[in-house]
């Protein structure tokens, strides 16, 4: 993949859609994840001793880069230095590095740089610029080494000028072109230091992208890094964004974590993210020997096999023009073509799509080399200004993970962007798509009802592991639609397994609030008041994420 430059320098990244995140460091020797030094308060001297026997002789840059390529990934982001302060590259600024402090004696970043160039993968570096438990003068607003060092004696400029800036200079001058620098956890970093770091990167490699975690001040960086494992709502972000996600539940290598996402789930999440305009940065955690776990590799190859057939509908594809999630899957687009990504769940004989205004020339299964036309029918209800497309589907899904239907259209894409009832009769309203009044903690939606009736009103929330549900809803909620008004105390009635949009450590929870009637077609209104309603964040939430997040209300039509 070719890195673009100048004003369009982010284009390569937007087109790539899918990257490999690699958390690899000295912590792999303990097999308990990348935060083990902090969690166990391991003294610096004891942690340094791990380097004496750290010898990942099974590391093979060609194998790693080849796996990323086989998975359909276009770039690699690897931890050059994580929070433990151990540099995974040869550094003149700090002897605590893999080339000088271990029997391995090699610079894996150089080997990866050479192999990425050879195989056409863009190399990028992760660098922990504020948290450093090894350095006596690193200062974060929360996560510091307080078991070895006196916080009051820390002098941050010593760390900043003596380690961070010199190592950033090394990373951007020793390995050729770098696609992006991925910074992390900027808690407490001043705006001036943030701007200085951005200027340093731009002075060394003007085309190198910078993620938003370079600072906690809004608008910094070239694109938005969402919180760990976080998939946003439609319309939540106004600029390019990505979701960093784990294959299991850990980032660094862990012997105990064997909760692996299945290939089908990964593909669905990738497509779901792309349909909302984002990138997926999917993490693997190599072991101390330098091997990416087999269970990771197997899953990635299966994802790559799907992408080798359906990549047209992912790479360089635009986000769905519809401002809501589809119950049957996701939508991506390219000029003259709409891609409908269908899950194999509850496969139907017909797919119905509301809101596409263009005349359809043909529809076919993307994996069908002969492009056999599928039977289609289009209709228009002038009174409701409502467009319907019906596609006769094959008897069976073309793929167990996701079947993609390509729809060729005439002219420039045109859709009804109003929030709308789905063909199933249900309506899902995400809070980010409503009109939010932060003062009254109220969100109001305007949406289209096609088939009137009685609806069960459900609240959709993401609950963090261990969070108190009763505490989050101690004030209850209020809902209103015209003259219909009621208050409720939500309960965690149903946990949705294998949610496409929700990740560990959160679970998707539905709460039944009551019954509401919409007795006519056309534009309807619904409002919700809750203490959980807040304005869009404007920047990433990493550590201060809400214990319970309000995501949507769902109107489930009674049959």
């Amino acid at each position: 993949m070719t890195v673009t430059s100048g004003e369009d320098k982010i284009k390569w990244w937007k087109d790539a859609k899918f990257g490999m995140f690699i958390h690899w460091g000295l912590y792999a020797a303990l097999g308990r994840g990348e935060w083990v030094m902090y969690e166990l308060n391991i003294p610096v001297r004891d942690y340094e001793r791990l380097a004496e026997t750290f010898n990942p002789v099974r590391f093979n840059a060609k194998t790693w880069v080849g796996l990323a390529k086989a998975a359909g990934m276009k770039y690699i982001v690897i931890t050059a230095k994580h929070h433990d302060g151990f540099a995974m590259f040869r550094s003149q600024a700090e002897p605590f590095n893999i080339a000088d402090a271990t029997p391995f004696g090699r610079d894996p970043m150089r080997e990866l740089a050479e192999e990425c160039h050879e195989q056409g993968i863009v190399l990028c570096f992760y660098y922990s610029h504020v948290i450093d438990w090894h350095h006596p003068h690193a200062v974060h607003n929360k996560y510091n080494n307080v078991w070895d060092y006196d916080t009051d004696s820390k002098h941050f400029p010593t760390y900043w000028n003596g380690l961070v800036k010199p190592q950033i200079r090394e990373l951007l001058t020793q390995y050729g072109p770098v696609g992006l620098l991925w910074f992390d956890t900027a808690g407490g970093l001043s705006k001036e230091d943030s701007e200085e770091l951005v200027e340093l990167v731009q002075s060394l490699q003007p085309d190198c992208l910078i993620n938003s975690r370079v600072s906690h001040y809004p608008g910094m960086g070239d694109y938005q890094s969402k919180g760990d494992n976080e998939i946003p709502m439609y319309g939540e972000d106004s600029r390019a964004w990505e979701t960093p996600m784990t294959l299991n539940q850990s980032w660094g290598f862990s012997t105990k974590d064997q909760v692996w996402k299945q290939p089908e789930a990964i593909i669905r999440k990738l497509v779901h993210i792309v349909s909302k305009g984002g990138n997926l940065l999917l993490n693997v955690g190599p072991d101390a020997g330098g091997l990416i776990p087999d269970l990771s590799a197997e899953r990635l190859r299966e994802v790559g096999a799907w992408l080798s057939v359906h990549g047209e509908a992912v790479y360089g594809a635009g986000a769905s023009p519809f401002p809501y999630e589809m119950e049957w899957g996701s939508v991506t687009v390219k000029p003259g073509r709409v891609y409908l990504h269908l899950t194999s769940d509850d496969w139907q004989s017909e797919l119905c799509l509301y809101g596409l205004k263009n005349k359809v020339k043909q529809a076919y299964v993307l994996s069908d080399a002969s492009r056999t036309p599928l039977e289609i029918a289009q209709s228009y209800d002038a009174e409701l200004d409502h467009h319907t497309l019906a596609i006769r589907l094959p008897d069976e899904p073309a793929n167990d993970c996701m079947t993609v239907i390509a729809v060729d259209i005439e002219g420039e894409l045109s859709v009804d962007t109003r929030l709308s009832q789905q063909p199933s009769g249900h309506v899902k309203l995400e809070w980010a798509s409503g009109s939010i009044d932060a003062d009254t903690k109220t969100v109001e939606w305007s949406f289209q009802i096609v088939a009137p009736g009685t609806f069960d009103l459900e609240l959709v929330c993401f609950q963090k592991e261990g969070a108190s549900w009763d505490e989050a809803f101690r004030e209850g909620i209020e809902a209103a639609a015209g003259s219909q008004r009621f208050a409720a105390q939500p309960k965690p009635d149903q946990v949705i397994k294998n949610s496409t949009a929700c990740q560990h450590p959160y679970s998707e929870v539905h709460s039944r609030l009551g019954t509401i009637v919409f007795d006519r077609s056309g534009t309807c209104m619904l409002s919700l008041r809750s203490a959980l309603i807040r304005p869009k964040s404007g920047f990433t939430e990493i550590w201060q994420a809400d214990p319970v997040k309000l995501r949507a209300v769902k109107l489930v039509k009674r049959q």
Side-chain angles (χ1 to χ4, degrees):
M1 189 161 207
T2 303
V3 174
T4 44
S5 61
E7 293 182 1
D8 203 24
K9 70 177 187 178
I10 199 172
K11 183 179 186 303
W12 74 266
W13 183 86
K14 287 182 175 179
D15 289 346
K17 302 301 180 187
F18 194 27
M20 176 182 279
F21 212 178
I22 303 176
H23 274 66
W24 191 44
L26 195 55
Y27 42 82
L30 297 177
R32 296 184 57 167
E34 74 288 354
W35 277 73
V36 62
M37 183 181 181
Y38 182 86
E39 291 170 346
L40 299 183
N41 291 176
I42 299 174
V44 165
R45 288 186 179 180
D46 292 346
Y47 197 79
E48 287 178 337
R49 292 192 187 102
L50 293 174
E52 297 174 5
T53 56
F54 189 67
N55 192 20
V57 293
R58 302 182 76 179
F59 163 74
N60 186 299
K62 184 175 183 178
T63 300
W64 283 20
V65 177
L67 176 60
K69 193 167 185 176
M73 294 159 157
K74 302 299 184 180
Y75 58 104
I76 289 174
V77 180
I78 184 167
T79 49
K81 183 190 79 138
H82 206 271
H83 306 330
D84 62 350
F86 185 71
M88 294 296 287
F89 61 99
R90 189 183 301 277
S91 174
Q92 299 300 317
E94 171 56 72
F96 190 48
N97 70 77
I98 189 170
D100 296 323
T102 76
F104 186 61
R106 289 156 46 191
D107 184 344
M109 301 300 109
R110 181 170 301 282
E111 295 174 31
L112 283 169
E114 293 171 355
E115 196 58 44
C116 281
H117 177 74
E118 182 69 24
Q119 298 195 39
I121 299 293
V122 179
L123 179 65
C124 314
F125 292 125
Y126 168 112
Y127 187 86
S128 177
H129 61 313
V130 178
I131 299 180
D132 189 318
W133 303 314
H134 181 262
H135 199 286
H137 295 293
V139 181
H140 185 263
N141 65 351
K142 186 174 182 180
Y143 298 101
N144 297 299
N145 182 341
V146 296
W147 56 94
D148 282 305
Y149 306 124
D150 176 17
T151 303
D152 294 335
S153 300
K154 289 177 178 285
H155 184 248
F156 185 74
T158 299
Y159 165 70
W160 190 249
N161 296 314
L163 181 67
V164 174
K165 290 193 287 185
Q167 286 193 330
I168 293 300
R169 185 176 295 276
E170 290 174 337
L171 290 172
L172 293 179
T173 57
Q174 296 180 169
Y175 303 99
V178 175
L180 69 88
L181 280 183
W182 211 97
F183 295 103
D184 200 9
T185 60
L189 190 66
S190 70
K191 188 174 184 181
E192 292 73 21
D193 285 337
S194 302
E195 291 171 339
E196 181 184 35
L197 191 54
V198 170
E199 290 171 2
L200 175 62
V201 173
Q202 292 176 340
S203 70
L204 295 170
Q205 289 203 28
D207 296 329
C208 180
L209 301 177
I210 301 169
N211 72 329
S212 60
R213 295 193 189 188
V214 68
S215 176
H216 274 299
Y217 288 87
M220 288 278 201
D222 296 293
Y223 69 91
Q224 186 77 19
S225 288
K226 301 303 294 182
D228 296 349
N229 292 301
E230 179 188 6
I231 299 177
M233 294 168 274
Y234 279 103
E236 188 175 347
D237 293 276
S238 59
R239 60 176 180 157
W241 60 272
E242 74 177 357
T243 291
M245 185 185 298
T246 55
L247 256 173
N248 48 354
Q249 295 181 352
S250 304
W251 298 91
F253 177 70
S254 172
T255 57
K256 294 184 178 180
D257 181 5
Q258 299 299 317
V259 184
W260 300 91
K261 294 179 177 67
Q262 296 302 313
E264 177 181 311
I266 297 166
I267 291 167
R268 291 185 182 188
K269 292 174 192 298
L270 169 62
V271 171
H272 186 73
I273 288 167
V274 173
S275 78
K276 291 182 174 180
N279 281 27
L280 172 59
L281 184 61
L282 186 62
N283 181 74
V284 296
D287 64 22
L291 291 179
I292 293 175
D294 288 341
L295 291 176
S296 294
E298 291 169 5
R299 283 157 173 75
L300 292 181
R301 291 190 186 97
E302 289 192 44
V303 174
W306 185 88
L307 282 168
S308 69
V309 176
H310 303 91
E312 171 192 323
V314 175
Y315 304 123
S320 171
F322 302 97
Y324 45 81
E325 296 177 358
M326 300 296 181
E327 294 178 320
W328 39 259
S330 302
V331 178
T332 58
V333 299
K334 282 185 175 177
R337 187 167 295 167
V338 178
Y339 300 99
L340 310 178
H341 302 254
L342 282 63
T343 68
S344 56
D345 304 340
D346 192 25
W347 187 260
Q348 303 290 321
S349 60
E350 184 178 79
L351 172 68
C352 191
L353 176 69
Y354 288 163
L356 180 64
K357 298 180 180 182
N358 300 79
K359 178 177 175 55
V360 174
K361 295 190 290 186
Q362 65 172 341
Y364 54 90
V365 177
L366 186 60
S367 59
D368 178 6
S370 63
R371 295 191 172 185
T372 305
L374 300 173
E375 183 182 334
I376 60 173
Q378 289 184 271
S379 61
Y380 175 64
D381 184 325
E383 184 177 350
L384 292 176
D385 187 23
H386 183 69
H387 297 260
T388 301
L389 167 66
I391 303 175
R392 181 73 180 180
L393 297 176
D395 292 337
E396 300 290 339
N399 188 282
D400 290 337
C401 293
M402 269 194 149
T403 297
V404 180
I405 306 297
V407 179
D408 291 342
I409 59 174
E410 292 184 358
E412 186 175 347
L413 179 64
S414 177
V415 303
D416 185 346
T417 57
R418 296 174 295 181
L419 296 173
S420 178
Q421 186 177 24
Q422 295 287 294
S424 67
H426 306 331
V427 183
K428 188 175 183 182
L429 306 169
E430 295 182 322
W431 69 259
S433 62
S435 176
I436 300 168
D437 187 327
D439 294 330
T440 61
K441 299 289 186 181
T442 301
V443 59
E444 184 176 56
W445 296 274
S446 171
F447 55 96
Q448 298 303 114
I449 287 291
V450 179
T454 301
F455 298 80
D456 291 321
L457 184 61
E458 293 183 357
L459 192 67
V460 180
C461 294
F462 289 179
Q463 181 181 12
K464 196 170 187 178
E465 191 173 58
S468 171
W469 181 273
D470 291 339
E471 176 65 20
F473 288 105
R474 64 183 183 278
E475 298 180 20
I477 66 100
E478 296 175 5
S483 61
Q484 303 175 86
R485 298 175 179 272
F486 62 87
Q489 194 69 39
K491 301 297 181 184
D493 296 315
Q494 182 184 15
V495 177
I496 304 301
K497 301 295 183 182
N498 301 318
S499 167
T500 300
C502 188
Q503 319 295 324
H504 174 82
Y506 286 87
S507 297
E508 181 174 330
V509 181
H510 288 209
S511 305
R512 292 184 290 272
L513 302 180
T515 301
I516 199 162
V517 176
F518 293 100
D519 56 9
R520 62 177 180 83
S521 302
T523 302
C524 297
M525 306 292 293
L526 177 72
S527 67
L528 187 78
R529 191 194 68 78
S530 168
L532 297 184
I533 294 172
R534 54 176 174 73
K536 300 175 187 179
S537 63
F539 62 100
T540 187
E541 298 176 28
I542 302 171
W543 303 114
Q544 66 272 33
D546 296 332
V548 177
K549 298 182 180 183
L550 175 62
R551 290 284 291 201
V553 293
K554 186 174 182 180
L555 299 168
V556 180
K557 190 172 186 292
R558 290 187 173 182
Q559 301 303 319

